């Protein structure tokens, strides 16, 4: 269960015990490593439990009373003689728990109720290994009010660090207070235990409320829950407000339609649950990358998620651009892989990062953010048409592109990455795991490396950002970027294409030679528009061959490759975020059959998982009678932001939506498949307009639409379906704009 900066990872019974991956995590710090309730010295029998929402859980536990012989019938079975312990938990910048004991017997009894817990203040990786940071932990027990008691833990640590010229002293202060309220009997405290002596009449009930309040430095974090239904918190009001403003979707009833509806609604709820409220302001929403591993700022994840979720509204884009502009690098720091203008890759808040044992307090080892940032500005512009809204982000976008050109564009004429940090990440493209980039013989590719999608992202960023510069009056620079993108496209198609394979090489190596492995990376090229149209059919066909297409999605690496491993992170697994983009890439070129095939596979995969929620990544096993479901990457985050938003990308592809708000225009090219014959988008925002549009597949296979509600001014125009391959409407706009450039 999770919300905001907090996650509780526990057994299905709600117990935290003897597992380094379990615990209560706040700001990526395991503040509690043990948590369980005992009745009369024993762990009660677990009846059942379940999440109510992503942030809340309830469980039932039972135990026979100590004086069971006095109860009719005289049988020491908790099923026949039941003392019930009911727990209700809610997390959000801490944890709140309602505790209720009920005596379902016919005699008076007593219970020694005891809570065991263990405060730790560890980075997650320390929990399963050696503790590297050694601070001072103190505690204080007090009776703070007539009906409230508090056990307060304070933790302080410091560390002197020296890394590649980055020298200093770092300190942290963290805290955790257990506040006990509304207890029907007074608690007792000894070490890491709280005890209650409870007396229960027949069918009597005892209750109390526990609030675990976390502190970061001197700031107590506001709990996002209230005991015993004391009304909605500010956190909940914000969540409800966002969901009511965001677009919603309905597709009727039916087998796969139910999956689509549940998956998309789960995406909306998960994005709301991943919000980091401490980074938000003025309606700008910032989301963490995933639970439980990535509960912090991840630059490319925020940017990719916001781009994919643009159907919901502009809030995620504004929040992402805002957070990342504030953390944009301003100087060279080799230990952090930072250079001026670079977009931060990750910002962790755990003790090891904040004490600078490692550079992840602010680490810049990724090239993707420098391209995705200007791309998201363009997307925000298309949906809002508001120059005042995007102006604050234009200069950070320009600096990000300049950074990529200055530090990543090398003598090969292409973009390549290489870490300069002693603790840096070797691979800094989309596939950033240590062993992701491989030669055809399975051996590892040394850095510097220029993956094909790096070139695709650079092409798209320059092409789209050139339009932004045109609109803000920077015509000469806009034209330069536009021409550079065209030149890059030509050089890329000449250099990276593998004629014998019908696809692009994975990248170029440290000698500028092609990495001729067949992988998923070229799918991003398809979406970006960098692919020469004459090669699109062969590329799409190659992506959907059996060694690449598992039946559930397109693998990260061909199953014929010697390094293929269906359980790996990037060498044969299936990533929903990639595949959602591939669906949209197929749509932009009018490859409708291929688009429908891949979209269906992904929703059928979603059906395999609880709540129809796609995980971060899953196994690349071939779908078939002997494997009716794929394996799972066991450390996958779930929920995960850009897996959630991938479902929205698929819907956008099926509907062929392109907004151009500055002209009060929405261009559509809908092609609903047989398995999704109707789809309604409610509260779709384009500029100042809001619309509800119902799309319906006709008997002849075409898709019709009807605007059922419209507030404000909006022209909805159908784009003629392409008879041959064509770029999408966004490309036509740019071509039209820059046909005016010489005169301008």
């Amino acid at each position: 269960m999770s919300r905001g900066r907090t996650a509780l990872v526990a057994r299905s019974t709600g117990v935290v015990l003897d597992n380094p991956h379990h615990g209560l995590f706040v700001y990526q710090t395991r503040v509690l490593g043990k948590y369980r309730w005992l009745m009369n010295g024993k762990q009660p029998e677990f009846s059942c439990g379940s999440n109510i929402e992503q942030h809340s859980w309830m469980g039932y536990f039972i135990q026979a009373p100590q004086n069971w012989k006095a109860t009719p019938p005289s049988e020491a079975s908790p099923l026949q003689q039941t003392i019930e312990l009911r727990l209700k938990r809610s997390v959000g910048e801490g944890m709140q728990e309602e505790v209720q004991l009920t005596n379902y017997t016919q005699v008076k009894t007593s219970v020694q109720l005891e809570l065991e817990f263990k405060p730790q203040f560890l980075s997650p990786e320390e929990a399963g290994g050696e503790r590297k940071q050694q601070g001072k932990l103190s505690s204080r027990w007090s009776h703070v009010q007539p009906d409230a008691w508090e056990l307060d833990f304070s933790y302080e640590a410091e560390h002197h660090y020296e890394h590649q010229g980055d020298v200093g002293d770092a300190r942290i202060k963290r805290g955790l207070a257990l506040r006990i309220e509304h207890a029907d009997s007074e608690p007792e405290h000894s070490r890491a235990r709280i005890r209650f002596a409870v007396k229960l009449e027949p069918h009597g009930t005892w209750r109390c409320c526990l609030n675990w309040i976390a502190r970061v430095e001197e700031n107590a974090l506001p709990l996002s829950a209230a005991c015993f239904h004391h009304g909605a918190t500010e956190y909940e009001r914000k969540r409800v407000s966002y969901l009511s403003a965001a677009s919603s979707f309905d597709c009727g009833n039916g087998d796969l339609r139910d999956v689509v509806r549940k998956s998309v609604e789960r995406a909306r709820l998960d994005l709301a649950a991943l919000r980091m409220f401490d980074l938000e302001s003025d309606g700008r929403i910032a989301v963490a990358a995933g639970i439980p591993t990535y509960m912090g700022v991840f630059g490319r994840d925020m940017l990719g998620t916001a781009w994919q979720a643009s159907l919901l509204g502009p809030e995620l884009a504004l929040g992402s651009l805002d957070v990342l502009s504030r953390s944009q690098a301003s100087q060279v720091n080799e230990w952090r892989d930072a250079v001026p203008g670079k977009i931060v890759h990750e910002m962790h808040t755990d003790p090891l990062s904040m004490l600078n044992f490692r550079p992840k307090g602010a680490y810049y080892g990724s090239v993707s953010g420098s391209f995705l940032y200007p791309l998201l500005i363009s997307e925000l512009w298309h949906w809002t048409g508001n120059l005042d809204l995007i102006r604050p982000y234009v200069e950070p976008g320009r600096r990000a592109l300049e950074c990529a050109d200055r530090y990543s564009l090398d003598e090969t004429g292409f973009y390549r990455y290489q870490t300069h940090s002693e603790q840096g990440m070797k691979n800094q493209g989309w596939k950033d795991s240590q062993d992701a980039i491989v030669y055809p013989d399975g051996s590892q590719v040394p850095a510097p490396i220029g993956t094909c999608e790096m070139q695709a992202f650079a092409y798209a960023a320059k092409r789209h950002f050139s339009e932004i510069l045109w609109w803000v009056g920077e015509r000469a620079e806009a034209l330069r970027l536009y021409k550079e993108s065209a030149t890059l496209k030509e050089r890329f198609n000449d250099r990276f294409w593998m004629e014998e394979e019908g696809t692009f090489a994975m990248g170029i190596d440290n000698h500028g030679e092609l990495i001729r492995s067949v992988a998923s990376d070229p799918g991003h090229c398809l979406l970006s528009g960098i692919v020469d149209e004459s090669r699109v059919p062969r590329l799409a066909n190659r992506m959907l061959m059996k060694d690449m297409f598992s039946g559930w999605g397109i693998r990260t690496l061909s199953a014929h490759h010697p390094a293929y491993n269906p359980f790996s992170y990037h060498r044969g697994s299936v990533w929903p975020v990639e595949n959602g983009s591939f669906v949209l890439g197929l749509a932009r070129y009018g490859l409708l059959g291929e688009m429908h095939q891949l979209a269906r596979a992904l929703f059928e995969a979603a059906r395999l998982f609880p709540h129809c929620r796609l995980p971060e990544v899953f196994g690349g096993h071939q779908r078939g009678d002997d494997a009716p479901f794929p394996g799972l990457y066991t450390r996958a985050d779930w929920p995960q932001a850009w897996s959630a938003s991938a479902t929205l990308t698929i819907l956008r592809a099926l509907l062929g939506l392109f907004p151009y708000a500055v002209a009060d225009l929405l261009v559509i090219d809908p092609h609903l498949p047989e398995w999704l014959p109707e789809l309604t988008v409610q509260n779709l925002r384009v500029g100042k307009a809001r619309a509800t549009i119902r799309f319906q597949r006709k008997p002849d296979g075409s898709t019709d639409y009807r605007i059922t509600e419209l507030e404000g001014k909006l022209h909805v125009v159908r784009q003629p379906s392409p008879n041959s391959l064509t770029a999408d409407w966004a490309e036509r706009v740019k071509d039209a704009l820059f046909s005016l450039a010489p005169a301008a």
Side-chain angles (χ1 to χ4, degrees):
M1 53 190 290
S2 64
R3 181 158 58 180
R5 298 275 200 164
T6 304
L8 177 67
V9 186
R11 298 177 184 178
S12 59
T13 60
V15 171
V16 176
L17 188 68
D18 300 329
N19 189 319
H21 303 297
H22 290 181
L24 177 64
F25 297 86
V26 182
Y27 273 66
Q28 297 180 287
T29 303
R30 189 164 88 154
V31 294
L32 290 177
K34 181 180 184 180
Y35 198 85
R36 67 170 177 170
W37 286 93
L38 302 176
M39 295 171 63
N40 299 321
K42 298 179 181 179
Q43 193 167 307
E45 181 180 334
F46 179 64
S47 169
C48 66
S50 175
N51 272 46
I52 301 170
E53 294 187 59
Q54 175 60 27
H55 65 278
S56 57
W57 176 89
M58 186 174 78
Y60 295 95
F61 301 80
I62 56 176
Q63 189 179 93
Q66 290 180 311
N67 57 334
W68 62 269
K69 290 183 179 180
T71 64
S74 298
E75 181 181 345
S77 166
L79 293 174
Q80 305 307 319
Q81 303 298 335
T82 301
I83 305 297
E84 174 198 273
L85 170 64
R86 183 184 303 186
L87 304 176
K88 289 184 178 180
R89 293 175 185 159
S90 181
V91 297
E93 317 313 350
M95 180 172 70
Q96 176 269 317
E97 183 168 42
E98 296 178 17
V99 185
Q100 180 174 297
L101 272 178
T102 303
N103 177 11
Y104 286 112
T105 74
Q106 299 177 47
V107 300
K108 182 178 180 179
T109 190
S110 63
V111 177
Q112 179 84 350
L113 183 64
E114 189 173 30
L115 174 63
E116 287 186 343
F117 52 91
K118 186 177 183 180
Q120 290 187 314
F121 301 96
L122 291 174
S123 291
E125 54 267 47
E126 290 182 294
E130 177 187 359
R131 181 165 189 149
K132 296 180 180 179
Q133 43 94 25
Q134 303 289 339
K136 179 183 178 182
L137 178 64
S138 59
S139 63
R140 179 174 54 86
W141 171 257
S142 57
H143 191 177
V144 292
Q145 291 179 5
D147 64 342
W149 295 260
E150 189 170 278
L151 177 60
D152 186 88
F153 295 97
S154 294
Y155 180 76
E156 296 185 31
E158 61 181 51
H159 174 234
H160 178 76
Y161 61 92
E162 296 184 18
H163 306 287
Q164 296 176 253
D166 195 345
V167 180
D169 295 288
R171 297 174 178 82
I172 61 168
K173 290 183 179 181
R174 299 289 170 95
L176 184 67
L178 168 59
R179 190 178 181 91
I180 303 168
E181 298 177 322
H182 311 298
D184 290 338
S185 59
E186 186 169 334
E188 297 178 356
H189 162 249
S190 64
R191 295 185 180 179
R193 295 191 179 209
I194 299 292
R195 296 185 181 90
F196 300 91
V198 180
K199 295 182 179 180
L200 291 169
E201 297 291 333
H203 290 266
T205 295
W206 176 96
R207 299 195 303 175
C208 82
C209 175
L210 306 184
N211 291 308
W212 292 92
I213 303 167
R215 293 192 306 278
V216 176
E217 299 310 315
E218 301 297 333
N219 301 314
L221 306 180
L223 275 176
S224 56
C227 261
F228 305 128
H229 312 290
H230 286 176
T233 63
E234 181 65 20
Y235 185 110
E236 190 63 22
R237 285 191 288 270
K238 287 182 178 179
R239 187 179 79 99
V240 171
S241 175
Y242 166 62
L243 288 173
S244 63
S247 301
S248 59
F249 310 87
D250 187 32
C251 54
N253 297 314
D255 181 26
L256 202 52
R257 283 192 277 176
D258 289 340
V259 175
V260 174
R261 185 178 64 254
K262 291 176 182 177
S263 182
V264 174
E265 182 58 22
R266 174 50 51 188
R268 284 170 20 98
L269 293 171
D270 283 348
L271 290 172
L274 288 166
R275 291 173 65 179
M276 296 181 288
F277 281 88
D278 57 304
L279 299 179
E280 297 183 2
S281 63
D282 301 325
R284 290 160 163 77
I285 291 177
V287 295
I291 301 297
T293 313
Y294 304 121
M295 296 169 55
V297 172
F298 283 77
R300 63 173 192 169
D301 296 62
M302 293 181 82
L303 294 166
T305 297
W307 190 92
Q308 291 188 131
S310 55
L311 269 178
L312 297 182
E315 290 84 0
L316 270 74
L318 286 166
S320 301
L321 294 171
D322 195 51
V323 168
L324 297 176
S325 67
R326 296 199 305 266
S327 56
Q328 190 172 21
S330 59
Q331 60 187 9
V332 174
N333 185 316
E334 289 193 346
W335 183 56
R336 298 188 185 277
D337 270 328
V339 291
K342 205 169 189 183
I343 299 298
V344 73
H345 177 52
E346 51 190 323
M347 292 168 56
H348 292 264
T349 52
D350 65 286
L352 289 182
S353 297
M354 299 305 293
L355 289 168
N356 288 335
F357 281 85
R358 60 185 189 180
K360 292 189 175 182
Y363 179 63
Y364 292 81
S366 173
V367 296
S368 303
S370 293
F371 304 127
L372 296 179
Y373 191 97
L375 274 170
L376 186 58
I377 299 173
S378 172
E379 186 70 7
L380 181 62
W381 162 248
H382 289 156
W383 282 99
T384 66
N386 187 333
L387 280 178
D388 290 336
L389 204 59
I390 67 168
R391 280 188 198 279
Y393 310 115
V394 173
E395 184 56 31
R398 178 190 280 113
R399 291 201 304 269
L401 278 179
E402 289 174 350
C403 166
D405 282 350
R406 183 177 298 117
Y407 295 101
S408 298
L409 186 63
D410 61 21
E411 69 279 0
T412 65
F414 297 106
Y415 295 86
R416 294 195 293 183
Y417 60 74
Q418 182 170 24
T419 184
H420 297 280
S421 172
E422 294 171 349
Q423 295 176 269
M425 297 167 58
K426 174 197 169 188
N427 291 319
Q428 300 188 358
W430 137 236
K431 295 175 180 175
D432 58 0
S433 55
Q434 187 74 11
D435 59 357
I437 311 301
V438 288
Y439 285 115
D441 65 359
S443 61
Q444 290 292 306
V445 179
I449 298 170
T451 60
C452 66
E453 78 274 7
M454 280 181 67
Q455 323 311 317
F457 293 162
Y459 164 81
K462 288 191 172 185
R463 190 167 176 85
H464 285 268
F465 196 63
S466 66
E467 180 191 349
I468 299 300
L469 293 176
W470 193 94
W471 277 102
V472 298
E474 302 287 346
R475 302 292 173 84
E477 187 178 357
L479 183 59
R480 177 179 62 81
L481 288 184
Y482 184 75
K483 289 180 176 179
E484 286 178 1
S485 70
T487 301
L488 178 59
K489 178 174 181 175
E490 183 178 353
R491 287 190 290 104
F492 173 79
N493 280 274
D494 287 344
R495 185 72 183 96
F496 277 71
W497 181 251
M498 300 190 297
E499 180 63 27
E500 68 282 6
E501 288 286 359
T503 187
F504 290 97
M506 197 179 200
I508 54 174
D509 65 11
N510 58 335
H511 298 297
E513 298 298 322
L514 291 185
I515 306 165
R516 294 183 173 274
S517 294
V518 176
S520 61
D521 307 60
H524 299 279
C525 302
L526 191 68
L527 175 61
S528 74
I530 198 172
V531 180
D532 187 279
E533 291 186 9
S534 65
R535 289 170 172 164
V536 168
R538 287 194 67 195
L539 175 57
N541 180 65
R542 187 65 188 88
M543 290 168 60
L544 289 167
M545 286 185 179
K546 194 171 183 179
D547 65 312
M548 287 299 297
F549 180 54
S550 73
W552 304 111
I554 292 170
R555 298 181 179 92
T556 45
L557 188 66
S558 166
H560 293 163
H561 198 286
Y564 165 71
N565 174 5
F567 290 103
S568 71
Y569 205 51
H570 288 129
R571 290 184 290 106
S573 53
V574 174
W575 282 71
V577 61
E578 268 203 315
N579 280 263
S581 298
F582 299 164
V583 173
L584 189 56
L586 294 167
R588 72 171 292 165
Y589 289 103
L591 300 174
L592 306 183
E594 294 87 342
M595 172 182 71
H596 290 164
Q597 179 185 7
L598 185 54
R600 177 167 189 155
L602 290 166
F603 281 121
E604 287 178 339
R607 179 164 53 191
L608 302 174
F609 299 99
H611 312 298
C612 297
R613 172 197 273 154
L614 286 165
E616 174 190 11
V617 55
F618 57 87
H621 304 84
Q622 191 65 40
R623 183 177 181 176
D625 293 339
D626 63 332
F629 55 88
L632 185 65
Y633 185 79
T634 55
R635 295 185 182 179
D637 271 30
W638 192 83
Q640 210 263 359
W642 63 13
S643 284
S645 58
T647 59
L648 301 167
T649 306
I650 297 171
L651 293 193
R652 182 174 180 178
L654 296 176
L655 299 178
L657 300 181
F658 174 72
Y660 206 64
V662 70
D664 300 318
L665 181 65
L666 176 66
V667 178
I668 63 171
D669 184 21
H671 295 278
L672 293 178
E674 291 183 5
W675 47 269
L676 189 64
E678 61 179 283
L679 180 60
T680 300
V681 184
Q682 300 159 330
N683 198 32
L684 181 68
R685 288 173 282 170
V686 180
K688 296 180 180 179
R690 295 173 180 265
T692 295
I693 308 175
R694 185 170 186 261
F695 298 87
Q696 194 161 22
R697 181 183 170 93
K698 297 165 65 175
D700 64 1
S702 63
T703 299
D704 204 356
Y705 76 96
R706 182 164 58 92
I707 301 171
T708 60
E709 294 181 29
L710 178 61
E711 176 186 325
K713 184 180 179 182
L714 183 65
H715 307 290
V716 180
V717 178
R718 182 190 290 270
Q719 174 178 301
S721 297
N723 296 317
S724 59
L725 299 180
T726 181
D728 65 19
W729 213 83
E731 298 304 297
R732 298 181 188 181
V733 167
K734 291 171 185 57
D735 290 338
L737 286 177
F738 286 98
S739 68
L740 305 175

